[in-house]
Amino acid sequence: MHIIANWKQYLSPEQEIALAKSIITSSNFYLGHHLTLLPSFLTLREIADHIIVNQSSIQVGAQDFAVSLVSAQTGSIRADFIKTETVLIAHSEREKINHETIEDFSQKLQLALSLKKKVILCFGEKELLENDESLLLHLKKQVQIYSNLLGTDSTKVTLAYEPQWSIGGTKTASVTIIKKVLALAKTFGFSEMVYGGSVAAESIQQLYFPELAGFLVGRASTNSSSLQAIFAALKQLSL
Ligand code: PGA
């Protein structure tokens, strides 16, 4: 399973470094799985370098980057200046808080691919829709736009299905829905999808099914014990 730890801006730089170090030094808990850490930009370089020094199997990635390589972008981070291979694109908080659009995300996607980045691409609905049919129709529009852009490169991208209403709370999408969304993604050439939104050790047991590549985890990935509990839950599922 691929567990992607999206630390957002929950931790101070000192806390991020301490958490990364404690993860690296207790390597046995994630053994056999694929772990990607997405720290803030303040510690990204340091954590990535530390992980390289430790020859750990963990990946490190950026939570976002600027929409273009234009130099005059005060406060933004250019993608070609980011040394890590992995990047997250289109997290719904970028839309909700920073008012970014699917056009911005598409531009970022093209930019990331031109720089040979490994992309985790989020999509999902804002609110709970009244029935599965309208939900799938809504999601199809997003997936189609990305698929048209990517063509055969779709297989290189990890999709992250993250319903906005499920983020940061306790409600998750149902497995039935996640399975339908994965089937939809596959019809558009995507081969790998993770689920995100209120994932924790307690919810993982209900959310897991073999075709799902993994989980994108926010809050529950920001401390060592809840992160380790996720891997313990996977172990209980014999994974
Ligand atoms: P959450 O966040 O696990 O805290 O719901 C997930 C995400 O936004 O990536």
Side-chain angles (χ1 to χ4, degrees), residues 22-239:
S22 86
I23 291 169
I24 294 159
T25 50
S26 48
S27 57
N28 53 335
F29 78 87
Y30 59 84
L31 224 71
H33 296 283
H34 179 185
L35 175 61
T36 299
L37 305 179
L38 305 177
S40 69
F41 276 119
L42 292 172
T43 62
L44 182 65
R45 191 78 181 250
E46 192 175 340
I47 290 177
D49 287 349
H50 191 73
I51 279 169
I52 290 164
V53 167
N54 281 273
Q55 296 182 322
S56 164
S57 58
I58 305 170
Q59 305 290 310
V60 184
Q63 296 174 15
D64 185 53
F65 54 88
V67 78
S68 76
L69 300 183
V70 169
S71 303
Q73 294 190 77
T74 304
S76 298
I77 311 271
R78 274 171 52 171
D80 57 338
F81 291 168
I82 297 171
K83 293 290 170 242
T84 60
E85 199 187 8
T86 304
V87 289
L88 182 74
I89 297 179
H91 191 283
S92 61
E93 283 152 13
R94 300 296 313 171
E95 184 190 339
K96 202 163 125 189
I97 302 164
N98 302 79
H99 312 292
E100 290 181 19
T101 62
I102 197 150
E103 287 75 26
D104 297 320
F105 299 146
S106 300
Q107 218 176 313
K108 288 184 184 189
L109 182 57
Q110 282 175 307
L111 178 57
L113 288 174
S114 73
L115 294 168
K116 309 245 176 309
K117 298 284 187 192
K118 252 194 210 162
V119 173
I120 304 161
L121 177 65
C122 303
F123 72 109
E125 72 280 13
K126 276 199 182 76
E127 281 149 21
L128 256 174
L129 295 176
E130 63 292 357
N131 60 55
D132 293 5
E133 215 174 295
S134 43
L135 168 66
L136 292 170
L137 202 67
H138 176 77
L139 295 178
K140 187 178 167 186
K141 288 182 195 149
Q142 296 177 34
V143 175
Q144 196 159 24
I145 289 172
Y146 293 134
S147 161
N148 288 346
L149 257 181
L150 288 164
T152 50
D153 281 344
S154 300
T155 51
K156 295 184 190 160
V157 166
T158 299
L159 276 183
Y161 171 46
E162 290 214 308
Q164 284 187 41
W165 54 264
S166 77
I167 293 174
T170 51
K171 278 193 198 147
T172 68
S174 69
V175 180
T176 317
I177 285 297
I178 303 171
K179 282 183 177 168
K180 286 184 183 176
V181 177
L182 174 60
L184 170 80
K186 285 196 169 166
T187 62
F188 283 95
F190 292 96
S191 49
E192 193 172 282
M193 191 184 94
V194 299
Y195 167 79
S198 298
V199 174
E202 302 74 35
S203 54
I204 230 159
Q205 311 247 1
Q206 291 88 57
L207 293 167
Y208 168 77
F209 59 97
E211 294 77 26
L212 192 67
F215 298 96
L216 177 49
V217 189
R219 277 165 318 157
S221 72
T222 58
N223 77 69
S224 194
S225 55
S226 55
L227 183 63
Q228 293 201 32
I230 287 175
F231 287 91
L234 292 176
K235 207 171 182 181
Q236 280 194 357
L237 290 160
S238 309
L239 298 169

